Amino acid sequence: NAGVMQNPRHLVRRRGQEARLRCSPMKGHSHVYWYRQLPEEGLKFMVYLQKENIIDESGMPKERFSAEFPKEGPSILRIQQVVRGDSAAYFCASSRTSGGPSNTGELFFGEGSRLTVL
Amino acid sequence: KQEVTQIPAALSVPEGENLVLNCSFTDSAIYNLQWFRQDPGKGLTSLLLIQSSQREQTSGRLNASLDKSSGRSTLYIAASQPGDSATYLCAVRAADSWGKLQFGAGTQVVVTP
């Protein structure tokens, strides 16, 4: 049973370019979360999605960042017009459901995508 | 606003010693607490998850306790090995959240042979 798959693992972009990060959740998981880990900082929540729906985007920067989880295919985190401050590790996590009596709500993380902006 | 603190920030022990890692949180209205391990340049590996109604969870040499009323969790690693060297992260999920985790800054552990 494959874990959470993220690609690319490493991405280099020049200022002003676009970055697209992909995440395929674990089999049977319908909930996807994106987190960002800036250098020397802890992990911060960005966005929570279910298929075709954004549930909570309270951690997303208001501009240049967007996320989707289409009916078919992986979840995509898109960063437009990247700046040096966007350089970070972006982690995707998935869970079976959001929780409830029959589910622990445990999150499983991918290996991350490391974005470097030159 | 939930704040999660991990003490100490770094820890170095000789092989064979027991490790004690602390995590505190300010809002006791949590759904669960999860401990992770992160190796340099790698992702997060889930170690233990404790539901708010539980007091502890055990897996092999790892034991995690939870005292929700005092806002504390402790991760114990028995008989440490050099392979236990990593950063350990504590994360809390609020009772009214949709799965959003609030992370501590982590404890960086080095186990020397």
Side-chain angles (χ1 to χ4, degrees), chain A:
Chain A
N1 185 14
V4 177
M5 304 301 292
Q6 290 188 247
N7 69 82
R9 292 291 310 281
H10 299 276
L11 183 63
V12 179
R13 286 287 179 265
R14 296 190 181 281
R15 281 180 298 170
Q17 292 184 319
E18 178 179 289
R20 285 193 178 216
L21 310 178
R22 297 173 189 78
C23 169
S24 295
M26 286 180 67
K27 186 177 180 181
H29 286 192
S30 58
H31 299 243
V32 166
Y33 314 81
W34 286 93
Y35 286 78
R36 178 167 66 173
Q37 188 173 39
L38 292 164
E40 307 305 322
E41 291 190 23
L43 279 123
K44 304 291 185 188
F45 168 81
M46 298 181 75
V47 63
Y48 161 45
L49 310 102
Q50 296 178 22
K51 287 284 187 181
E52 301 184 280
N53 283 303
I54 296 175
I55 307 301
D56 181 352
E57 57 181 348
S58 59
M60 285 276 273
K62 294 290 185 282
E63 297 178 351
R64 304 187 296 107
F65 284 72
S66 63
E68 63 176 7
F69 189 17
K71 186 176 180 181
E72 301 291 336
S75 174
I76 307 264
L77 179 67
R78 181 184 179 201
I79 311 171
Q80 295 178 289
Q81 299 175 328
V82 296
V83 301
R84 288 213 174 107
D86 297 333
S87 295
Y90 293 83
F91 290 95
C92 172
S94 72
S95 67
R96 187 178 297 276
T97 73
S98 62
S102 61
N103 185 275
T104 65
E106 186 173 6
L107 267 64
F108 296 88
F109 281 76
E111 291 285 295
S113 291
R114 282 153 182 83
L115 172 66
T116 301
V117 180
L118 301 177

Side-chain angles (χ1 to χ4, degrees), chain B residues 26-39:
Chain B
T26 55
D27 187 347
S28 61
I30 66 169
Y31 184 82
N32 61 35
L33 183 147
Q34 203 165 347
W35 282 95
F36 295 90
R37 167 187 172 138
Q38 185 176 26
D39 292 284

